[in-house]
Amino acid sequence: MLCAIRAAERGKRVVILDGNRFLGRKLRITGKGRCNLTNDCDVREVMRNIPGDGRFLYSALTRFPPEETMVLFRSLGVPLKTERGNRVFPVSDRADDVADALARRLETLGVRVLRSRATGILTDKGAVCGVVHENGVIDCRAAALCTGGRSYPLTGSDGAGYELARTLGHTVVPTRPSLVPLVSDDEFCAEMQGFSLRNVVLRAYEDDRLIYHELGEMLFTHFGVSGPLVLSASAHMRRMGQARYRLEIDLKPALDEKKLDERILRDFEKYANREFKNALDDLAARSMIPVLLRLSGIPEDTKVHSITREQRRRLAALFKAFPVSVSGFRPIAEAIVTAGGISTTEVNPRTMESKLVPGLYFAGEVLDLDAYTGGFNLQIAWATGHAAGCAIGAEEYNDKGETT
């Protein structure tokens, strides 16, 4: 939509092909329907949150940084607010307001919207000359693929864009899920299904090397773990199937080991004559106590007053580093973002035009670009859409990549 807006603002005749009933269907479900549309930070911070080829985006982000995204949506009548982690949302907490604002701008500019899916791109002497869709053919000088990745396929983001590009000679970097729940072989995950943890620190390891740690929330599920911390951790697991991954949860991040031991001692003094299985109510949630009992290795009928220092040390270690194995990702259809896609080595970073097929442009998740949570993935979409829309049909560019 932003690509179309920018092209139409420059006087280009633009048609959008979208098989969905409403424009921006995937946008409308982002952020659990609230739409974290960008992050209120500078370009360097955005690039720090892109684990892959962030350098490719430098030109596009410099020309359309988060500040410009916020200016755009305010100008379209969408008041914004900034929340924890500099995440930017519409004041209304309605993703529909973001998509509707773009749709209104398209209508004002006279952009045609056809409820049809593209099925092929035609070329003449190697350059784009038309687009085939379900209901006919459109003659054109340029076509922009803004089809998304493979996540949430019911929104139309089903990987079709990759095939359109591949038929024209483009390389598609193998896709994988990112920002996705994790599967674990640990039976206790299903046992604690639905139990959420708040204000815990999650650490993720790749072959015993720490690759992620953050304070926040997570959730145990029937297949493993999910929640904001887990989704963020998954984006760092870029070698699944080749490397070994595992998680540790610090259940008591506010207490160091010494203070935690003192806390456990106080509780044990309080419940000195009870059995161990009845002495953890003040330390852990009821859903987790049976699991802690088993993993601690302390017989549950042990009298608290007879628990040894070594047993107490093992219990404390469990609270500070609760282990969760990782065996894989959930299916890509459940991922918030698709990693992989059209190779950026075959795309002009200033204009988003194909280096192989003149008149073919790309924007958004169809490219081999993905970022961590916090509004960064949508910022990539806005920046690349803006770059492509400003470049389509232009003959020359200045040093900043702007049309002249």
Side-chain angles (χ1 to χ4, degrees):
M1 287 192 282
L2 183 55
C3 178
I5 287 169
R6 290 302 189 233
E9 287 173 341
R10 296 172 44 245
K12 306 300 177 183
R13 293 168 56 197
V14 184
V15 177
I16 290 179
L17 288 171
D18 191 332
N20 290 310
R21 182 179 177 186
F22 299 105
L23 286 174
R25 186 173 176 188
K26 188 173 181 182
L27 181 63
R28 295 173 188 274
I29 64 172
T30 60
K32 297 182 179 179
R34 296 180 63 219
C35 191
N36 177 193
L37 56 90
T38 190
N39 192 283
D40 188 5
C41 65
D42 60 20
V43 170
R44 288 183 179 180
E45 183 63 20
V46 177
M47 293 182 67
R48 276 195 290 269
N49 281 273
I50 300 170
D53 186 15
R55 293 172 299 174
F56 172 84
L57 285 166
Y58 182 77
S59 175
L61 286 169
T62 300
R63 289 155 54 206
F64 201 77
E67 179 183 0
E68 290 299 319
T69 298
M70 292 184 280
V71 168
L72 168 68
F73 283 102
R74 288 185 177 120
S75 74
L76 294 177
V78 183
L80 304 176
K81 61 181 178 179
T82 302
E83 297 186 358
R84 181 178 59 84
N86 295 323
R87 290 167 164 83
V88 178
F89 294 87
V91 169
S92 65
D93 285 330
R94 285 173 41 86
D96 283 340
D97 290 350
V98 177
D100 289 343
L102 293 170
R104 286 194 300 271
R105 180 61 176 156
L106 289 168
E107 186 175 4
T108 299
L109 291 167
V111 174
R112 291 176 59 204
V113 178
L114 296 183
R115 307 299 178 188
S116 183
R117 290 170 58 91
T119 57
I121 297 174
L122 304 177
T123 60
D124 180 28
K125 297 179 181 178
V128 170
C129 66
V131 173
V132 182
H133 62 101
E134 292 170 323
N135 300 310
V137 178
I138 300 173
D139 295 327
C140 60
R141 293 175 55 197
L145 280 174
C146 309
T147 53
R150 295 186 187 277
S151 54
Y152 298 111
L154 293 180
T155 66
S157 180
D158 59 4
Y162 302 139
E163 300 311 312
L164 291 174
R166 188 181 277 117
T167 61
L168 295 176
H170 271 278
T171 302
V172 179
V173 177
T175 57
R176 63 186 185 281
S178 185
L179 304 182
V180 66
L182 297 173
V183 178
S184 174
D185 292 331
D186 296 326
E187 294 181 357
F188 58 70
C189 290
E191 185 179 337
M192 293 189 287
Q193 177 181 351
F195 175 54
S196 61
L197 293 170
R198 296 182 179 180
N199 298 317
V200 297
V201 168
L202 180 67
R203 295 186 293 268
Y205 294 87
E206 179 182 281
D207 293 333
D208 295 327
R209 178 176 63 88
L210 181 66
I211 57 172
Y212 172 83
H213 73 282
E214 190 64 64
L215 174 72
E217 303 176 8
M218 60 175 292
L219 172 75
F220 289 100
T221 71
H222 67 284
F223 56 76
V225 285
S226 186
L229 287 178
V230 173
L231 299 183
S232 294
S234 74
H236 296 257
M237 299 177 177
R238 308 184 73 79
R239 298 174 57 232
M240 187 68 74
Q242 303 168 31
R244 180 173 59 88
Y245 293 99
R246 62 183 177 86
L247 305 174
E248 287 181 355
I249 309 168
D250 186 345
L251 299 168
K252 302 293 182 182
L255 302 176
D256 59 25
E257 293 182 5
K258 181 180 178 181
K259 290 183 179 179
L260 177 58
D261 188 52
E262 291 172 352
R263 168 66 193 280
I264 292 173
L265 274 172
R266 287 199 303 272
D267 279 22
F268 280 8
E269 289 172 0
K270 179 180 177 181
Y271 301 119
N273 295 317
R274 290 191 182 185
E275 293 182 340
F276 177 51
K277 64 183 179 183
N278 297 317
L280 297 180
D281 290 350
D282 297 343
L283 279 168
R286 182 163 297 181
S287 299
M288 204 171 199
I289 289 176
V291 178
L292 289 168
L293 291 174
R294 291 201 305 275
L295 296 184
S296 72
I298 305 172
E300 61 179 39
D301 58 353
T302 303
K303 292 295 184 180
V304 170
H305 61 74
S306 64
I307 290 177
T308 66
R309 178 182 296 179
E310 174 58 24
Q311 288 174 321
R312 196 175 71 240
R313 188 196 62 77
R314 291 207 309 268
L315 179 63
L318 196 55
F319 274 104
K320 295 299 290 182
F322 184 91
V324 179
S325 69
V326 175
S327 57
F329 297 127
R330 287 292 286 174
I332 198 167
E334 297 179 24
I336 294 176
V337 173
T338 302
I342 308 300
S343 173
T344 54
T345 63
E346 300 169 352
V347 181
N348 185 320
R350 292 182 305 143
T351 64
M352 299 300 139
E353 185 176 18
S354 166
K355 294 178 180 179
L356 309 181
V357 184
L360 178 63
Y361 295 79
F362 304 97
E365 199 177 340
V366 73
L367 289 161
D368 179 22
L369 297 166
D370 65 285
Y372 304 139
T373 57
F376 301 108
N377 284 289
L378 273 179
Q379 181 57 42
I380 291 174
W382 308 133
T384 53
H386 171 85
C390 288
I392 287 175
E395 300 301 327
E396 298 180 7
Y397 307 92
N398 61 22
D399 291 339
K400 295 182 180 179
E402 298 167 335
T403 57
T404 59

